[in-house]
């Protein structure tokens, strides 16, 4: 029981907290995949931008909370401009072109951040300090806030997609963009706004995780692979699947570190991924035959 | 350039062979020329897979890096023969590529790309953290390999001629291959996989063949790399390197063989030259790639349309 309370439970909770943030990151990725057919390699850099935009806003206003609102908006604007300038001309091309182009964007974004903010490790101090007793252990308050905020946001997004007209239009665009266009909806605008929204979600994830991890220009590179894994595991284009898969991966990674060193964990997760891709490439909840 | 005549090709290689005779070819320029041709050869090998079989591999860095590590491990242990290094690289890379392609070729498009990417990440993670292979530092300070006892490839000029010879042989092999029956079937699979299957071809076997040949050629190029750099590091295996290989092919033009060689050389020279003028060369390289995808998707020398436009998806 001692072991349970002092080792297993905190590690489990770490996994849940990380999974929630990962869910925000993967959700944007999977919506863009469903909508544009593009695996967005630059998504990790939008995540990184979120953290740096947060640092910049905190530097100006000395408030994490202002940054939590302003930074995603800034990154959303960058996302919208990127979509209009680079992805819009590719709508009718093979998805692989999108993959290759976003790889180029990622390269440019990463170097841009390094030039603007420098290559060294930065930290954001948690806006909520201290720990509280919880189920026989003490747990940092900030991580609980992170979990609550991410979960609320995920719930809000679910409401958006099921209860609002705009959300239903986005889902319709994922199903059949051509039909939606025929019904008189300005589909390119839907695409641009959705991309901006996905960028904002990545930025929120980046900023929320910044006080837990460190901030540096390469931070998106490792996260994007994990996010890809989550998206595939959940089923490409399936939003609910992505969120569930994010928690699964978050918890699995966190618990496995108890028994293995980090590189074995990484290899184990890659191994799971390979098996899923071979046996059931559409993941948990993906539609059959999507780009198979 | 779409049709390379034997005379034209011979002329180009004669010019490459004569390059070190130029008076301003310093040691620095010899090594730069080595890199340009080596990565040109890698891009050409990848083009065999991307441009002809229509399979985009995001894991070619693993083939290149495994080749480099094969050489590094032998050199470190005092086995200096370059032929043994190349042989080991071919065996190791071949065995790994067989495993990857066996699984990856059951999937198409993005799933193939992701499978190759994740397999390569396993290799990267393994070398990055295994202390036997030097961990994140890799294997450093290697001696020069030898052509045969007593003749070491220890000057920039010798290593340069080695890569010219390799490029020539690899190019001839690829050229024969894409014009053979095997190459024709690959193109048929790229154009319409189902039809090729209905015609009775074992599609997976052809795809695996293309993967294996492309991987081994890439691995052999990798095996030459420690001869120039005297090290092999896990950075060579990272997936961003695989991305760079794809960039080289895209710059040069899919399905042209010659194009990617030029694309690879262009990429190396661009990186080297831009980075000596501005620190933010990655921005330039990234934007060049974006502009190429946007405006010249068939590459600077792309004549054949390799990746067909994607029907259906998106807006009118």
């Amino acid at each position: 029981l001692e072991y349970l309370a002092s080792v297993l439970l905190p590690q489990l909770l770490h996994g849940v907290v990380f999974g929630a943030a990962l869910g925000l990151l993967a959700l944007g990725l999977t919506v863009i995949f469903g909508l544009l057919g593009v695996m967005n390699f630059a998504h990790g850099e939008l995540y990184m931008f979120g953290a740096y935009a947060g640092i910049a806003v905190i530097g100006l206003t000395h408030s994490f909370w202002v940054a939590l609102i302003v930074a995603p908006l800034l990154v959303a604007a960058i996302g919208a401009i990127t979509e209009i300038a680079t992805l819009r001309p590719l709508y009718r091309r093979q998805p692989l072109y999108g993959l290759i182009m976003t790889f180029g964007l990622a390269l440019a974004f990463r170097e841009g951040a390094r030039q603007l903010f420098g290559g060294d490790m930065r930290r954001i101090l948690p806006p909520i300090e201290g720990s509280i007793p919880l189920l026989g252990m003490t747990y940092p308050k900030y991580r609980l806030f992170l979990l609550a905020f991410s979960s609320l946001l995920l719930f809000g997004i679910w409401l958006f997609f099921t209860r609002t007209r705009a959300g239903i239009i986005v889902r319709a665009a994922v199903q059949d963009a051509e039909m939606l266009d025929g019904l008189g909806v300005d589909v390119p605008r839907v695409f641009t706004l959705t991309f901006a929204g996905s960028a904002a979600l990545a930025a929120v994830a980046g900023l929320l995780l910044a006080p837990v991890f460190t901030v540096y220009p390469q931070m998106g590179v490792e996260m994007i692979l994990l996010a890809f894994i989550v998206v595939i595991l959940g089923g490409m284009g399936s939003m609910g699947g992505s969120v569930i898969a994010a928690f699964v991966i978050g918890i699995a990674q966190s618990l496995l570190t108890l028994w293995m060193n980090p590189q074995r964990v990484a290899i184990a997760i890659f191994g799971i991924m390979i098996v899923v891709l071979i046996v059931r490439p559409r993941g948990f909840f993906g539609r059959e035959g999507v780009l198979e | 350039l779409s049709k390379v005549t034997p005379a034209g090709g011979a002329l180009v290689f004669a010019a490459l062979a004569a390059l070190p005779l130029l008076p301003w070819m310093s040691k620095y320029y010899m090594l730069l020329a080595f890199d340009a041709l080596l990565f040109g050869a890698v891009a050409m090998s990848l083009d065999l897979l991307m441009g002809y079989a229509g399979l985009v591999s995001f894991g070619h860095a693993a083939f290149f890096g495994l080749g480099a590590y094969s050489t590094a491990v032998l050199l470190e242990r005092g086995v200096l023969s370059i032929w043994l290094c190349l042989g080991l690289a071919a065996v190791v890379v071949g065995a790994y590529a067989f495993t990857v392609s066996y699984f990856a070729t059951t999937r198409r498009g993005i799933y193939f790309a992701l499978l190759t990417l994740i397999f390569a990440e396993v290799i990267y993670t393994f070398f990055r953290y295994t202390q036997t292979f030097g961990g994140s530092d890799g294997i450093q300070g290697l001696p020069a390999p030898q052509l045969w006892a007593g003749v070491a490839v220890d000057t920039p000029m010798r290593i340069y001629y080695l890569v010219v010879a390799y490029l020539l042989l690899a190019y001839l092999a690829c050229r024969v291959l894409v014009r053979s029956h095997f190459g024709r079937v690959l193109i048929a699979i790229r154009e319409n996989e189902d039809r090729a299957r209905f015609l009775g071809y074992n599609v997976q076997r052809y795809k695996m063949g293309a993967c294996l040949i492309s991987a081994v050629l890439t691995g052999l190029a990798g095996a030459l790399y420690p001869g120039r750099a005297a090290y092999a590091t896990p950075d060579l295996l990272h997936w961003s390197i695989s991305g760079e290989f794809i960039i080289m092919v895209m710059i040069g033009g899919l399905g042209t063989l010659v194009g990617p060689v030029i694309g690879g050389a262009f990429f190396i020279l661009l990186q080297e030259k831009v980075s000596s003028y501005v620190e933010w060369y990655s921005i330039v390289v990234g934007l060049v790639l974006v502009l190429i995808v946007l405006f010249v998707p068939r590459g600077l020398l792309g004549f054949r349309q390799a990746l067909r436009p994607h029907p259906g998806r998106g807006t009118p």
Side-chain angles (χ1 to χ4, degrees):
Chain A
L1 199 72
E2 182 80 0
Y3 178 77
L4 192 78
S6 63
V7 179
L8 209 57
L9 208 57
Q11 206 63 24
L12 186 71
L13 207 53
H14 281 335
V16 174
V17 170
F18 181 61
L22 195 58
L24 292 176
L25 191 65
L27 196 61
L29 201 59
T30 201
V31 171
I32 292 308
F33 179 77
L35 214 55
L36 302 177
V38 170
M39 265 319 233
N40 181 12
F41 257 111
H43 203 65
E45 276 56 45
L46 297 169
Y47 162 85
M48 178 263 297
F49 277 170
Y52 274 113
I55 288 180
V57 174
I58 291 171
L60 285 174
T61 63
H62 302 288
S63 164
F64 183 86
W65 311 112
V66 176
L68 195 53
I69 311 258
V70 176
L73 291 177
L74 287 175
V75 178
I78 295 173
I81 295 166
T82 307
E83 204 279 337
I84 291 170
T86 62
L87 285 168
R88 194 169 278 196
L90 295 187
Y91 286 169
R92 287 196 144 266
R93 296 233 209 110
Q94 261 214 343
L96 282 170
Y97 278 115
L99 194 81
I100 293 162
M101 188 173 66
T102 54
F103 184 85
L105 284 174
L107 211 61
F109 284 172
R110 219 176 295 143
E111 188 61 24
R114 209 170 67 85
Q115 290 302 320
L116 273 176
F117 299 100
D120 45 336
M121 301 267 193
R122 308 274 282 268
R123 284 214 76 156
I124 295 181
L125 292 175
I128 310 170
E129 285 171 27
S131 310
I132 50 165
L134 183 80
L135 302 167
M137 57 176 180
T138 54
Y139 202 74
K141 281 186 202 162
Y142 177 75
R143 288 188 189 225
L144 290 178
F145 160 76
L146 203 170
L147 177 61
F149 185 83
S150 308
S151 307
L152 267 179
L153 199 54
L154 288 172
F155 182 66
I157 293 164
W158 180 74
L159 284 182
F160 169 78
F161 277 124
T162 50
R163 298 294 152 86
T164 67
R165 189 179 153 75
I168 289 167
I169 286 178
V170 174
R171 283 199 298 146
V174 172
Q175 286 287 325
D176 190 342
E178 223 157 313
M179 172 64 94
L180 199 64
D181 187 73
L183 292 171
V185 175
D186 183 357
V187 174
R189 209 182 66 158
V190 173
F191 284 1
T192 305
L193 289 177
T194 312
F195 196 87
S198 140
L201 281 180
V204 170
L207 183 53
L208 283 176
L209 283 177
V212 181
F213 299 145
T214 45
V215 180
Y216 55 103
Q218 308 282 332
M219 64 189 271
V221 178
E222 303 303 319
M223 277 305 266
I224 189 72
L225 273 187
L226 214 54
F228 276 172
I229 288 175
V230 165
V231 167
I232 297 163
L233 205 61
M236 287 199 196
S238 158
M239 300 177 216
S242 280
V243 174
I244 294 171
F247 281 107
V248 169
I249 290 288
I251 293 169
Q253 197 185 35
S254 191
L255 288 185
L256 285 175
T257 42
L258 284 179
W259 301 292
M260 298 184 205
N261 46 12
Q263 70 271 25
R264 294 241 174 88
V265 174
I267 289 177
I269 287 184
F270 292 141
I272 296 171
M273 197 58 251
I274 289 169
V275 171
V276 169
L277 273 171
I278 292 164
V279 177
R280 193 180 159 88
R282 71 186 126 125
F284 296 161
F285 301 101
R287 273 178 292 154
E288 192 170 3
V290 178
L291 293 173
E292 269 180 37
Chain B
L1 266 164
S2 61
K3 281 209 174 80
V4 183
T5 59
L11 207 64
V12 170
F13 275 100
L16 286 177
L19 199 62
L21 303 177
L22 294 177
W24 61 83
M25 287 303 286
S26 60
K27 188 180 171 210
Y28 166 78
Y29 280 112
M30 288 306 323
L31 291 180
L32 188 59
F34 171 90
D35 284 345
L37 294 185
L38 186 78
F39 287 102
V42 170
M44 181 181 70
S45 322
L46 179 57
D47 186 37
L48 200 61
L49 199 59
M50 275 178 72
Y52 290 90
L55 296 167
V56 176
S57 157
F58 243 101
H60 258 52
F63 304 134
F64 185 79
L66 275 177
Y69 266 98
S70 304
T71 298
V73 166
L74 285 186
L75 291 181
E76 192 189 25
R77 279 155 185 70
V79 182
L80 295 179
S81 164
I82 189 109
W83 309 111
L84 284 178
C85 293
L86 289 170
L88 181 68
V91 171
V92 170
V93 174
Y96 166 69
F98 183 86
T99 318
V100 175
S101 64
Y102 179 79
F103 293 112
T105 50
T106 56
R107 300 291 161 204
R108 305 185 204 181
I110 280 183
Y111 292 98
F112 177 86
L114 288 171
L115 267 169
T116 52
L117 169 64
I118 291 165
F119 269 108
E121 271 302 287
V122 173
I123 298 292
Y124 168 75
T125 313
F126 175 76
F127 278 99
R128 170 80 175 66
Y129 291 102
T130 305
Q131 288 311 315
T132 324
F133 301 111
S136 57
D137 292 333
I139 304 173
Q140 309 254 359
L142 297 166
Q146 293 182 342
L147 276 180
W148 49 83
V151 183
V153 192
D154 52 0
T155 64
M157 201 197 278
R158 285 180 182 173
I159 189 81
Y160 172 79
Y161 277 117
L162 199 60
V163 83
V164 171
Y166 171 70
L167 181 63
L168 177 63
L169 292 176
Y171 173 70
L172 289 177
C174 287
R175 189 180 148 100
V176 167
L177 209 68
V178 298
R179 291 171 177 222
S180 66
H181 178 75
F182 178 80
R184 297 266 142 211
V185 176
L186 285 186
I187 294 170
I189 291 171
R190 178 191 80 202
E191 292 301 324
N192 192 330
E193 185 171 332
D194 290 329
R195 189 170 294 164
R197 187 174 289 121
F198 296 150
L199 286 171
Y201 290 108
N202 186 336
V203 169
Q204 200 198 357
R205 194 174 295 168
Y206 278 90
K207 283 182 175 178
M208 278 180 71
C211 280
L212 269 177
I213 295 164
S214 172
V216 169
L217 286 177
T218 306
L220 290 177
L224 294 178
Y225 192 72
R228 168 244 191 278
Y231 63 74
T233 59
D235 294 346
L236 297 175
L237 296 151
H238 196 258
W239 61 267
S240 53
I241 302 290
S242 302
E244 288 182 3
F245 292 163
I246 292 176
I247 297 177
M248 295 171 187
V249 176
M250 295 296 291
I251 293 175
L254 282 165
T256 60
L257 290 188
V258 179
V261 177
I262 296 170
F266 175 79
F267 183 87
I268 294 294
L269 298 178
L270 180 79
Q271 201 174 38
E272 185 65 27
K273 281 295 131 191
V274 177
S275 69
S276 62
Y277 292 120
V278 288
E279 270 181 66
W280 36 275
Y281 69 94
S282 288
I283 298 184
V284 177
V285 173
L287 291 182
V288 164
L289 180 66
V290 170
L291 293 176
I292 283 173
V293 173
L294 284 179
F295 299 112
V296 274
R298 290 184 220 168
L300 298 179
L301 291 169
F303 290 93
R304 285 171 244 177
Q305 189 157 13
L307 292 175
R308 285 158 294 135
H310 182 56
R313 202 161 196 99
T315 54

